Amino acid sequence: MILTVTATHETTIRTHAERTYPEECCGLLLGEITPTGKTVVEVWETENAWSPETAGELSAPDTLTKERRYVIHPKDLLRAQKQGRDRQLTIIGIYHSHPDYPAIPSECDREYAWSEYSYIIVAVEQGQATQLTNWSLDETHHFQPETLVIATAES
C-alpha cells in the first residue's frame, strides 16, 4: 500500500513535532482509501494525553512520561470519526514523534498499533524534525516500511 500526503501535510507534522519537543506529538490522518493506496486529506493535530493514570491503565512504568509515550484521547478519535464521516473521510493513520530517537517504531508502538492504519513517525533531534518514515503492520502484527509519497502539488 502507498500513503500519499501533500507537502503541506508533511510540514504540519514536522512543525507539530518541533513545537511539542521534548515531548512526543501525536495526531490523526484523515483521508480516503482506494485500490491504489491511501490519500491523506487532512492532518489533525491532537493533544498527547499520556499521563501517570494512562501508564497505570496500560501497566506501563509510571516513570514513563510524554517524552517517551503518547496516547490519543478517545474523545479526539470519536470527534475525528464523526466529522470525517460527515465528509466521506475516514481515519487512515496516526502520526507521532520520537524526540531524540530514530523514526523507527518501538515495541510499545507495535503493541498498540491497529492493522488498518498507516503510522508516520518523525524523529526530532534537539528540537529539529529530521527523518520522517511511514509504517504499517503485516499479518504477523509486525511493522514493515510502507511507501510514503509526498505530493508536490496540492489538489
PDB file of all heavy atoms in Angstrom, residues 3-18 25 29 40-45 95-96 120-123 129-134 148-152 154:
ATOM      1  N   LEU A   3       0.988   5.411   0.906  1.00  0.00           N
ATOM      2  CA  LEU A   3       0.345   6.525   1.601  1.00  0.00           C
ATOM      3  C   LEU A   3       0.825   7.813   0.952  1.00  0.00           C
ATOM      4  O   LEU A   3       2.031   8.051   0.855  1.00  0.00           O
ATOM      5  CB  LEU A   3       0.692   6.523   3.089  1.00  0.00           C
ATOM      6  CG  LEU A   3       0.091   7.685   3.903  1.00  0.00           C
ATOM      7  CD1 LEU A   3      -1.429   7.543   3.986  1.00  0.00           C
ATOM      8  CD2 LEU A   3       0.699   7.727   5.298  1.00  0.00           C
ATOM      9  N   THR A   4      -0.109   8.636   0.519  1.00  0.00           N
ATOM     10  CA  THR A   4       0.233   9.909  -0.120  1.00  0.00           C
ATOM     11  C   THR A   4      -0.203  11.060   0.776  1.00  0.00           C
ATOM     12  O   THR A   4      -1.348  11.095   1.242  1.00  0.00           O
ATOM     13  CB  THR A   4      -0.463  10.036  -1.495  1.00  0.00           C
ATOM     14  OG1 THR A   4      -0.067   8.931  -2.306  1.00  0.00           O
ATOM     15  CG2 THR A   4      -0.083  11.336  -2.179  1.00  0.00           C
ATOM     16  N   VAL A   5       0.722  11.975   1.021  1.00  0.00           N
ATOM     17  CA  VAL A   5       0.439  13.210   1.756  1.00  0.00           C
ATOM     18  C   VAL A   5       0.929  14.377   0.906  1.00  0.00           C
ATOM     19  O   VAL A   5       1.768  14.198   0.029  1.00  0.00           O
ATOM     20  CB  VAL A   5       1.126  13.254   3.148  1.00  0.00           C
ATOM     21  CG1 VAL A   5       0.679  12.083   4.007  1.00  0.00           C
ATOM     22  CG2 VAL A   5       2.619  13.276   3.017  1.00  0.00           C
ATOM     23  N   THR A   6       0.419  15.544   1.177  1.00  0.00           N
ATOM     24  CA  THR A   6       0.912  16.721   0.480  1.00  0.00           C
ATOM     25  C   THR A   6       2.125  17.282   1.229  1.00  0.00           C
ATOM     26  O   THR A   6       2.355  16.942   2.399  1.00  0.00           O
ATOM     27  CB  THR A   6      -0.159  17.825   0.392  1.00  0.00           C
ATOM     28  OG1 THR A   6      -0.426  18.286   1.717  1.00  0.00           O
ATOM     29  CG2 THR A   6      -1.430  17.327  -0.285  1.00  0.00           C
ATOM     30  N   ALA A   7       2.851  18.147   0.577  1.00  0.00           N
ATOM     31  CA  ALA A   7       3.974  18.819   1.232  1.00  0.00           C
ATOM     32  C   ALA A   7       3.485  19.647   2.412  1.00  0.00           C
ATOM     33  O   ALA A   7       4.176  19.758   3.428  1.00  0.00           O
ATOM     34  CB  ALA A   7       4.715  19.695   0.218  1.00  0.00           C
ATOM     35  N   THR A   8       2.280  20.191   2.314  1.00  0.00           N
ATOM     36  CA  THR A   8       1.699  20.951   3.422  1.00  0.00           C
ATOM     37  C   THR A   8       1.443  20.051   4.625  1.00  0.00           C
ATOM     38  O   THR A   8       1.718  20.425   5.769  1.00  0.00           O
ATOM     39  CB  THR A   8       0.390  21.644   2.974  1.00  0.00           C
ATOM     40  OG1 THR A   8       0.688  22.515   1.881  1.00  0.00           O
ATOM     41  CG2 THR A   8      -0.234  22.442   4.110  1.00  0.00           C
ATOM     42  N   HIS A   9       0.926  18.848   4.377  1.00  0.00           N
ATOM     43  CA  HIS A   9       0.716  17.892   5.475  1.00  0.00           C
ATOM     44  C   HIS A   9       2.044  17.545   6.143  1.00  0.00           C
ATOM     45  O   HIS A   9       2.139  17.493   7.374  1.00  0.00           O
ATOM     46  CB  HIS A   9       0.076  16.604   4.961  1.00  0.00           C
ATOM     47  CG  HIS A   9      -1.306  16.772   4.433  1.00  0.00           C
ATOM     48  ND1 HIS A   9      -1.782  16.054   3.356  1.00  0.00           N
ATOM     49  CD2 HIS A   9      -2.323  17.591   4.801  1.00  0.00           C
ATOM     50  CE1 HIS A   9      -3.021  16.398   3.101  1.00  0.00           C
ATOM     51  NE2 HIS A   9      -3.377  17.334   3.966  1.00  0.00           N
ATOM     52  N   GLU A  10       3.055  17.295   5.322  1.00  0.00           N
ATOM     53  CA  GLU A  10       4.371  16.963   5.876  1.00  0.00           C
ATOM     54  C   GLU A  10       4.875  18.108   6.763  1.00  0.00           C
ATOM     55  O   GLU A  10       5.362  17.882   7.865  1.00  0.00           O
ATOM     56  CB  GLU A  10       5.374  16.689   4.756  1.00  0.00           C
ATOM     57  CG  GLU A  10       6.757  16.374   5.286  1.00  0.00           C
ATOM     58  CD  GLU A  10       7.824  16.333   4.205  1.00  0.00           C
ATOM     59  OE1 GLU A  10       7.634  16.922   3.129  1.00  0.00           O
ATOM     60  OE2 GLU A  10       8.873  15.715   4.483  1.00  0.00           O
ATOM     61  N   THR A  11       4.720  19.330   6.290  1.00  0.00           N
ATOM     62  CA  THR A  11       5.163  20.491   7.066  1.00  0.00           C
ATOM     63  C   THR A  11       4.381  20.600   8.373  1.00  0.00           C
ATOM     64  O   THR A  11       4.950  20.890   9.437  1.00  0.00           O
ATOM     65  CB  THR A  11       4.998  21.783   6.240  1.00  0.00           C
ATOM     66  OG1 THR A  11       5.826  21.681   5.084  1.00  0.00           O
ATOM     67  CG2 THR A  11       5.385  23.019   7.041  1.00  0.00           C
ATOM     68  N   THR A  12       3.086  20.344   8.327  1.00  0.00           N
ATOM     69  CA  THR A  12       2.249  20.389   9.538  1.00  0.00           C
ATOM     70  C   THR A  12       2.750  19.392  10.575  1.00  0.00           C
ATOM     71  O   THR A  12       2.872  19.711  11.764  1.00  0.00           O
ATOM     72  CB  THR A  12       0.777  20.106   9.187  1.00  0.00           C
ATOM     73  OG1 THR A  12       0.306  21.111   8.290  1.00  0.00           O
ATOM     74  CG2 THR A  12      -0.102  20.071  10.426  1.00  0.00           C
ATOM     75  N   ILE A  13       3.050  18.187  10.136  1.00  0.00           N
ATOM     76  CA  ILE A  13       3.522  17.146  11.058  1.00  0.00           C
ATOM     77  C   ILE A  13       4.887  17.534  11.638  1.00  0.00           C
ATOM     78  O   ILE A  13       5.109  17.443  12.847  1.00  0.00           O
ATOM     79  CB  ILE A  13       3.588  15.781  10.323  1.00  0.00           C
ATOM     80  CG1 ILE A  13       2.176  15.315   9.958  1.00  0.00           C
ATOM     81  CG2 ILE A  13       4.328  14.751  11.177  1.00  0.00           C
ATOM     82  CD1 ILE A  13       2.133  14.140   8.997  1.00  0.00           C
ATOM     83  N   ARG A  14       5.790  17.979  10.786  1.00  0.00           N
ATOM     84  CA  ARG A  14       7.124  18.362  11.270  1.00  0.00           C
ATOM     85  C   ARG A  14       7.043  19.550  12.251  1.00  0.00           C
ATOM     86  O   ARG A  14       7.710  19.549  13.289  1.00  0.00           O
ATOM     87  CB  ARG A  14       8.033  18.716  10.094  1.00  0.00           C
ATOM     88  CG  ARG A  14       8.441  17.529   9.253  1.00  0.00           C
ATOM     89  CD  ARG A  14       9.345  17.955   8.090  1.00  0.00           C
ATOM     90  NE  ARG A  14       9.743  16.844   7.279  1.00  0.00           N
ATOM     91  CZ  ARG A  14      10.754  16.013   7.572  1.00  0.00           C
ATOM     92  NH1 ARG A  14      11.470  16.222   8.644  1.00  0.00           N
ATOM     93  NH2 ARG A  14      11.038  15.003   6.781  1.00  0.00           N
ATOM     94  N   THR A  15       6.223  20.527  11.941  1.00  0.00           N
ATOM     95  CA  THR A  15       6.079  21.704  12.796  1.00  0.00           C
ATOM     96  C   THR A  15       5.477  21.325  14.149  1.00  0.00           C
ATOM     97  O   THR A  15       5.927  21.795  15.201  1.00  0.00           O
ATOM     98  CB  THR A  15       5.212  22.769  12.098  1.00  0.00           C
ATOM     99  OG1 THR A  15       5.828  23.121  10.857  1.00  0.00           O
ATOM    100  CG2 THR A  15       5.039  24.009  12.963  1.00  0.00           C
ATOM    101  N   HIS A  16       4.470  20.453  14.124  1.00  0.00           N
ATOM    102  CA  HIS A  16       3.857  19.986  15.367  1.00  0.00           C
ATOM    103  C   HIS A  16       4.897  19.267  16.226  1.00  0.00           C
ATOM    104  O   HIS A  16       4.977  19.481  17.438  1.00  0.00           O
ATOM    105  CB  HIS A  16       2.678  19.061  15.040  1.00  0.00           C
ATOM    106  CG  HIS A  16       1.866  18.648  16.215  1.00  0.00           C
ATOM    107  ND1 HIS A  16       0.999  17.582  16.174  1.00  0.00           N
ATOM    108  CD2 HIS A  16       1.777  19.128  17.481  1.00  0.00           C
ATOM    109  CE1 HIS A  16       0.420  17.439  17.350  1.00  0.00           C
ATOM    110  NE2 HIS A  16       0.876  18.358  18.161  1.00  0.00           N
ATOM    111  N   ALA A  17       5.706  18.425  15.603  1.00  0.00           N
ATOM    112  CA  ALA A  17       6.738  17.675  16.334  1.00  0.00           C
ATOM    113  C   ALA A  17       7.765  18.611  16.967  1.00  0.00           C
ATOM    114  O   ALA A  17       8.177  18.409  18.108  1.00  0.00           O
ATOM    115  CB  ALA A  17       7.419  16.685  15.398  1.00  0.00           C
ATOM    116  N   GLU A  18       8.154  19.629  16.241  1.00  0.00           N
ATOM    117  CA  GLU A  18       9.137  20.582  16.775  1.00  0.00           C
ATOM    118  C   GLU A  18       8.536  21.431  17.900  1.00  0.00           C
ATOM    119  O   GLU A  18       9.190  21.727  18.887  1.00  0.00           O
ATOM    120  CB  GLU A  18       9.667  21.484  15.655  1.00  0.00           C
ATOM    121  CG  GLU A  18      10.536  20.730  14.662  1.00  0.00           C
ATOM    122  CD  GLU A  18      10.972  21.576  13.479  1.00  0.00           C
ATOM    123  OE1 GLU A  18      10.498  22.723  13.335  1.00  0.00           O
ATOM    124  OE2 GLU A  18      11.792  21.075  12.680  1.00  0.00           O
ATOM    125  N   CYS A  25       4.686  14.332  20.030  1.00  0.00           N
ATOM    126  CA  CYS A  25       3.432  14.853  19.490  1.00  0.00           C
ATOM    127  C   CYS A  25       2.653  13.672  18.931  1.00  0.00           C
ATOM    128  O   CYS A  25       3.196  12.578  18.755  1.00  0.00           O
ATOM    129  CB  CYS A  25       3.677  15.889  18.392  1.00  0.00           C
ATOM    130  SG  CYS A  25       4.186  15.205  16.794  1.00  0.00           S
ATOM    131  N   LEU A  29      -4.538  11.057  10.804  1.00  0.00           N
ATOM    132  CA  LEU A  29      -4.524  11.263   9.358  1.00  0.00           C
ATOM    133  C   LEU A  29      -5.890  10.857   8.830  1.00  0.00           C
ATOM    134  O   LEU A  29      -6.273   9.681   8.915  1.00  0.00           O
ATOM    135  CB  LEU A  29      -3.432  10.399   8.708  1.00  0.00           C
ATOM    136  CG  LEU A  29      -2.033  10.547   9.298  1.00  0.00           C
ATOM    137  CD1 LEU A  29      -1.093   9.490   8.713  1.00  0.00           C
ATOM    138  CD2 LEU A  29      -1.489  11.942   9.046  1.00  0.00           C
ATOM    139  N   VAL A  40      -4.046  11.060   2.223  1.00  0.00           N
ATOM    140  CA  VAL A  40      -4.389  11.918   3.350  1.00  0.00           C
ATOM    141  C   VAL A  40      -5.030  13.196   2.809  1.00  0.00           C
ATOM    142  O   VAL A  40      -4.497  13.841   1.906  1.00  0.00           O
ATOM    143  CB  VAL A  40      -3.142  12.251   4.193  1.00  0.00           C
ATOM    144  CG1 VAL A  40      -3.487  13.261   5.290  1.00  0.00           C
ATOM    145  CG2 VAL A  40      -2.569  10.975   4.814  1.00  0.00           C
ATOM    146  N   VAL A  41      -6.177  13.540   3.371  1.00  0.00           N
ATOM    147  CA  VAL A  41      -6.879  14.775   3.004  1.00  0.00           C
ATOM    148  C   VAL A  41      -6.681  15.831   4.092  1.00  0.00           C
ATOM    149  O   VAL A  41      -6.549  17.007   3.799  1.00  0.00           O
ATOM    150  CB  VAL A  41      -8.377  14.501   2.760  1.00  0.00           C
ATOM    151  CG1 VAL A  41      -9.144  15.785   2.491  1.00  0.00           C
ATOM    152  CG2 VAL A  41      -8.539  13.512   1.608  1.00  0.00           C
ATOM    153  N   GLU A  42      -6.642  15.376   5.357  1.00  0.00           N
ATOM    154  CA  GLU A  42      -6.459  16.304   6.472  1.00  0.00           C
ATOM    155  C   GLU A  42      -5.541  15.691   7.521  1.00  0.00           C
ATOM    156  O   GLU A  42      -5.601  14.487   7.776  1.00  0.00           O
ATOM    157  CB  GLU A  42      -7.796  16.626   7.159  1.00  0.00           C
ATOM    158  CG  GLU A  42      -8.727  17.453   6.332  1.00  0.00           C
ATOM    159  CD  GLU A  42     -10.008  17.792   7.084  1.00  0.00           C
ATOM    160  OE1 GLU A  42     -10.043  17.677   8.326  1.00  0.00           O
ATOM    161  OE2 GLU A  42     -10.973  18.163   6.402  1.00  0.00           O
ATOM    162  N   VAL A  43      -4.736  16.535   8.120  1.00  0.00           N
ATOM    163  CA  VAL A  43      -3.918  16.155   9.272  1.00  0.00           C
ATOM    164  C   VAL A  43      -4.532  16.828  10.487  1.00  0.00           C
ATOM    165  O   VAL A  43      -4.717  18.039  10.496  1.00  0.00           O
ATOM    166  CB  VAL A  43      -2.444  16.606   9.091  1.00  0.00           C
ATOM    167  CG1 VAL A  43      -1.651  16.387  10.369  1.00  0.00           C
ATOM    168  CG2 VAL A  43      -1.810  15.863   7.920  1.00  0.00           C
ATOM    169  N   TRP A  44      -4.875  16.028  11.484  1.00  0.00           N
ATOM    170  CA  TRP A  44      -5.486  16.547  12.713  1.00  0.00           C
ATOM    171  C   TRP A  44      -4.476  16.475  13.840  1.00  0.00           C
ATOM    172  O   TRP A  44      -4.129  15.372  14.298  1.00  0.00           O
ATOM    173  CB  TRP A  44      -6.688  15.692  13.114  1.00  0.00           C
ATOM    174  CG  TRP A  44      -7.961  15.974  12.404  1.00  0.00           C
ATOM    175  CD1 TRP A  44      -8.137  16.167  11.076  1.00  0.00           C
ATOM    176  CD2 TRP A  44      -9.240  16.078  13.007  1.00  0.00           C
ATOM    177  NE1 TRP A  44      -9.445  16.372  10.809  1.00  0.00           N
ATOM    178  CE2 TRP A  44     -10.149  16.323  11.974  1.00  0.00           C
ATOM    179  CE3 TRP A  44      -9.701  15.974  14.305  1.00  0.00           C
ATOM    180  CZ2 TRP A  44     -11.502  16.481  12.212  1.00  0.00           C
ATOM    181  CZ3 TRP A  44     -11.045  16.124  14.535  1.00  0.00           C
ATOM    182  CH2 TRP A  44     -11.935  16.384  13.499  1.00  0.00           C
ATOM    183  N   GLU A  45      -4.030  17.600  14.302  1.00  0.00           N
ATOM    184  CA  GLU A  45      -3.179  17.617  15.487  1.00  0.00           C
ATOM    185  C   GLU A  45      -4.047  17.275  16.690  1.00  0.00           C
ATOM    186  O   GLU A  45      -5.158  17.784  16.820  1.00  0.00           O
ATOM    187  CB  GLU A  45      -2.566  19.001  15.692  1.00  0.00           C
ATOM    188  CG  GLU A  45      -1.576  19.393  14.638  1.00  0.00           C
ATOM    189  CD  GLU A  45      -0.920  20.734  14.945  1.00  0.00           C
ATOM    190  OE1 GLU A  45      -1.026  21.230  16.088  1.00  0.00           O
ATOM    191  OE2 GLU A  45      -0.305  21.288  14.024  1.00  0.00           O
ATOM    192  N   TYR A  95       0.057   9.774  13.317  1.00  0.00           N
ATOM    193  CA  TYR A  95       1.461  10.185  13.315  1.00  0.00           C
ATOM    194  C   TYR A  95       1.877  10.533  14.734  1.00  0.00           C
ATOM    195  O   TYR A  95       1.042  10.868  15.573  1.00  0.00           O
ATOM    196  CB  TYR A  95       1.711  11.365  12.365  1.00  0.00           C
ATOM    197  CG  TYR A  95       1.182  12.690  12.842  1.00  0.00           C
ATOM    198  CD1 TYR A  95       1.982  13.543  13.609  1.00  0.00           C
ATOM    199  CD2 TYR A  95      -0.106  13.098  12.535  1.00  0.00           C
ATOM    200  CE1 TYR A  95       1.502  14.766  14.045  1.00  0.00           C
ATOM    201  CE2 TYR A  95      -0.592  14.318  12.970  1.00  0.00           C
ATOM    202  CZ  TYR A  95       0.213  15.148  13.724  1.00  0.00           C
ATOM    203  OH  TYR A  95      -0.263  16.353  14.162  1.00  0.00           O
ATOM    204  N   HIS A  96       3.163  10.388  14.980  1.00  0.00           N
ATOM    205  CA  HIS A  96       3.720  10.821  16.261  1.00  0.00           C
ATOM    206  C   HIS A  96       5.203  11.062  16.088  1.00  0.00           C
ATOM    207  O   HIS A  96       5.785  10.733  15.048  1.00  0.00           O
ATOM    208  CB  HIS A  96       3.415   9.830  17.387  1.00  0.00           C
ATOM    209  CG  HIS A  96       4.194   8.554  17.342  1.00  0.00           C
ATOM    210  ND1 HIS A  96       3.921   7.540  16.478  1.00  0.00           N
ATOM    211  CD2 HIS A  96       5.258   8.156  18.084  1.00  0.00           C
ATOM    212  CE1 HIS A  96       4.759   6.553  16.685  1.00  0.00           C
ATOM    213  NE2 HIS A  96       5.601   6.892  17.651  1.00  0.00           N
ATOM    214  N   ILE A 120       2.944   7.251  10.614  1.00  0.00           N
ATOM    215  CA  ILE A 120       4.067   8.136  10.300  1.00  0.00           C
ATOM    216  C   ILE A 120       4.781   8.461  11.601  1.00  0.00           C
ATOM    217  O   ILE A 120       4.152   8.811  12.595  1.00  0.00           O
ATOM    218  CB  ILE A 120       3.577   9.436   9.620  1.00  0.00           C
ATOM    219  CG1 ILE A 120       3.037   9.127   8.221  1.00  0.00           C
ATOM    220  CG2 ILE A 120       4.713  10.464   9.543  1.00  0.00           C
ATOM    221  CD1 ILE A 120       2.466  10.348   7.490  1.00  0.00           C
ATOM    222  N   ILE A 121       6.095   8.324  11.566  1.00  0.00           N
ATOM    223  CA  ILE A 121       6.927   8.685  12.723  1.00  0.00           C
ATOM    224  C   ILE A 121       7.942   9.716  12.252  1.00  0.00           C
ATOM    225  O   ILE A 121       8.589   9.534  11.217  1.00  0.00           O
ATOM    226  CB  ILE A 121       7.660   7.464  13.304  1.00  0.00           C
ATOM    227  CG1 ILE A 121       6.663   6.392  13.738  1.00  0.00           C
ATOM    228  CG2 ILE A 121       8.543   7.891  14.482  1.00  0.00           C
ATOM    229  CD1 ILE A 121       7.308   5.094  14.196  1.00  0.00           C
ATOM    230  N   VAL A 122       8.065  10.797  13.012  1.00  0.00           N
ATOM    231  CA  VAL A 122       9.067  11.812  12.705  1.00  0.00           C
ATOM    232  C   VAL A 122      10.067  11.879  13.858  1.00  0.00           C
ATOM    233  O   VAL A 122       9.677  11.987  15.015  1.00  0.00           O
ATOM    234  CB  VAL A 122       8.430  13.194  12.411  1.00  0.00           C
ATOM    235  CG1 VAL A 122       7.594  13.692  13.565  1.00  0.00           C
ATOM    236  CG2 VAL A 122       9.482  14.208  12.029  1.00  0.00           C
ATOM    237  N   ALA A 123      11.335  11.759  13.505  1.00  0.00           N
ATOM    238  CA  ALA A 123      12.399  11.907  14.502  1.00  0.00           C
ATOM    239  C   ALA A 123      12.650  13.389  14.721  1.00  0.00           C
ATOM    240  O   ALA A 123      12.623  14.181  13.769  1.00  0.00           O
ATOM    241  CB  ALA A 123      13.679  11.230  14.019  1.00  0.00           C
ATOM    242  N   ALA A 129      12.995  18.636  13.523  1.00  0.00           N
ATOM    243  CA  ALA A 129      12.460  17.452  12.865  1.00  0.00           C
ATOM    244  C   ALA A 129      13.422  17.014  11.778  1.00  0.00           C
ATOM    245  O   ALA A 129      13.889  17.832  10.983  1.00  0.00           O
ATOM    246  CB  ALA A 129      11.087  17.750  12.280  1.00  0.00           C
ATOM    247  N   THR A 130      13.720  15.721  11.758  1.00  0.00           N
ATOM    248  CA  THR A 130      14.652  15.193  10.755  1.00  0.00           C
ATOM    249  C   THR A 130      13.952  14.117   9.935  1.00  0.00           C
ATOM    250  O   THR A 130      13.090  14.436   9.135  1.00  0.00           O
ATOM    251  CB  THR A 130      15.933  14.659  11.430  1.00  0.00           C
ATOM    252  OG1 THR A 130      15.575  13.647  12.378  1.00  0.00           O
ATOM    253  CG2 THR A 130      16.688  15.786  12.134  1.00  0.00           C
ATOM    254  N   GLN A 131      14.277  12.876  10.184  1.00  0.00           N
ATOM    255  CA  GLN A 131      13.758  11.781   9.383  1.00  0.00           C
ATOM    256  C   GLN A 131      12.259  11.585   9.614  1.00  0.00           C
ATOM    257  O   GLN A 131      11.772  11.646  10.742  1.00  0.00           O
ATOM    258  CB  GLN A 131      14.504  10.499   9.736  1.00  0.00           C
ATOM    259  CG  GLN A 131      14.122   9.324   8.886  1.00  0.00           C
ATOM    260  CD  GLN A 131      14.840   8.050   9.315  1.00  0.00           C
ATOM    261  OE1 GLN A 131      15.190   7.896  10.477  1.00  0.00           O
ATOM    262  NE2 GLN A 131      15.044   7.164   8.372  1.00  0.00           N
ATOM    263  N   LEU A 132      11.547  11.323   8.528  1.00  0.00           N
ATOM    264  CA  LEU A 132      10.117  11.030   8.590  1.00  0.00           C
ATOM    265  C   LEU A 132       9.894   9.703   7.871  1.00  0.00           C
ATOM    266  O   LEU A 132      10.309   9.555   6.722  1.00  0.00           O
ATOM    267  CB  LEU A 132       9.323  12.152   7.909  1.00  0.00           C
ATOM    268  CG  LEU A 132       7.823  12.115   8.088  1.00  0.00           C
ATOM    269  CD1 LEU A 132       7.317  13.487   8.499  1.00  0.00           C
ATOM    270  CD2 LEU A 132       7.164  11.689   6.804  1.00  0.00           C
ATOM    271  N   THR A 133       9.297   8.742   8.560  1.00  0.00           N
ATOM    272  CA  THR A 133       9.087   7.421   7.964  1.00  0.00           C
ATOM    273  C   THR A 133       7.621   7.020   8.092  1.00  0.00           C
ATOM    274  O   THR A 133       6.867   7.617   8.867  1.00  0.00           O
ATOM    275  CB  THR A 133       9.952   6.354   8.669  1.00  0.00           C
ATOM    276  OG1 THR A 133       9.605   6.319  10.059  1.00  0.00           O
ATOM    277  CG2 THR A 133      11.441   6.669   8.516  1.00  0.00           C
ATOM    278  N   ASN A 134       7.238   6.012   7.349  1.00  0.00           N
ATOM    279  CA  ASN A 134       5.866   5.525   7.382  1.00  0.00           C
ATOM    280  C   ASN A 134       5.870   4.002   7.491  1.00  0.00           C
ATOM    281  O   ASN A 134       6.674   3.332   6.833  1.00  0.00           O
ATOM    282  CB  ASN A 134       5.119   5.957   6.113  1.00  0.00           C
ATOM    283  CG  ASN A 134       3.681   5.513   6.131  1.00  0.00           C
ATOM    284  OD1 ASN A 134       3.000   5.630   7.142  1.00  0.00           O
ATOM    285  ND2 ASN A 134       3.217   4.990   5.017  1.00  0.00           N
ATOM    286  N   LEU A 148       5.817   6.048   1.362  1.00  0.00           N
ATOM    287  CA  LEU A 148       5.237   7.368   1.632  1.00  0.00           C
ATOM    288  C   LEU A 148       5.565   8.265   0.447  1.00  0.00           C
ATOM    289  O   LEU A 148       6.733   8.456   0.106  1.00  0.00           O
ATOM    290  CB  LEU A 148       5.820   7.957   2.919  1.00  0.00           C
ATOM    291  CG  LEU A 148       5.352   9.371   3.278  1.00  0.00           C
ATOM    292  CD1 LEU A 148       3.859   9.385   3.571  1.00  0.00           C
ATOM    293  CD2 LEU A 148       6.135   9.893   4.478  1.00  0.00           C
ATOM    294  N   VAL A 149       4.537   8.806  -0.171  1.00  0.00           N
ATOM    295  CA  VAL A 149       4.697   9.718  -1.297  1.00  0.00           C
ATOM    296  C   VAL A 149       4.322  11.118  -0.826  1.00  0.00           C
ATOM    297  O   VAL A 149       3.236  11.319  -0.262  1.00  0.00           O
ATOM    298  CB  VAL A 149       3.811   9.295  -2.495  1.00  0.00           C
ATOM    299  CG1 VAL A 149       3.848  10.331  -3.601  1.00  0.00           C
ATOM    300  CG2 VAL A 149       4.236   7.931  -3.002  1.00  0.00           C
ATOM    301  N   ILE A 150       5.228  12.075  -1.045  1.00  0.00           N
ATOM    302  CA  ILE A 150       4.944  13.472  -0.731  1.00  0.00           C
ATOM    303  C   ILE A 150       4.557  14.145  -2.046  1.00  0.00           C
ATOM    304  O   ILE A 150       5.411  14.374  -2.911  1.00  0.00           O
ATOM    305  CB  ILE A 150       6.167  14.185  -0.114  1.00  0.00           C
ATOM    306  CG1 ILE A 150       6.777  13.380   1.047  1.00  0.00           C
ATOM    307  CG2 ILE A 150       5.788  15.613   0.308  1.00  0.00           C
ATOM    308  CD1 ILE A 150       5.909  13.247   2.259  1.00  0.00           C
ATOM    309  N   ALA A 151       3.279  14.442  -2.200  1.00  0.00           N
ATOM    310  CA  ALA A 151       2.799  15.079  -3.428  1.00  0.00           C
ATOM    311  C   ALA A 151       3.218  16.548  -3.418  1.00  0.00           C
ATOM    312  O   ALA A 151       3.018  17.243  -2.414  1.00  0.00           O
ATOM    313  CB  ALA A 151       1.282  14.949  -3.536  1.00  0.00           C
ATOM    314  N   THR A 152       3.778  16.994  -4.501  1.00  0.00           N
ATOM    315  CA  THR A 152       4.258  18.368  -4.548  1.00  0.00           C
ATOM    316  C   THR A 152       3.162  19.361  -4.890  1.00  0.00           C
ATOM    317  O   THR A 152       3.228  20.509  -4.490  1.00  0.00           O
ATOM    318  CB  THR A 152       5.397  18.519  -5.558  1.00  0.00           C
ATOM    319  OG1 THR A 152       4.953  18.010  -6.820  1.00  0.00           O
ATOM    320  CG2 THR A 152       6.622  17.752  -5.094  1.00  0.00           C
ATOM    321  N   GLU A 154      -0.713  20.610  -4.602  1.00  0.00           N
ATOM    322  CA  GLU A 154      -1.947  20.487  -3.824  1.00  0.00           C
ATOM    323  C   GLU A 154      -3.084  20.216  -4.787  1.00  0.00           C
ATOM    324  O   GLU A 154      -3.157  20.802  -5.860  1.00  0.00           O
ATOM    325  CB  GLU A 154      -2.217  21.778  -3.058  1.00  0.00           C
ATOM    326  CG  GLU A 154      -1.096  22.191  -2.143  1.00  0.00           C
ATOM    327  CD  GLU A 154      -0.974  21.313  -0.898  1.00  0.00           C
ATOM    328  OE1 GLU A 154      -1.989  20.774  -0.455  1.00  0.00           O
ATOM    329  OE2 GLU A 154       0.145  21.184  -0.399  1.00  0.00           O
TER     330      GLU A 154
END
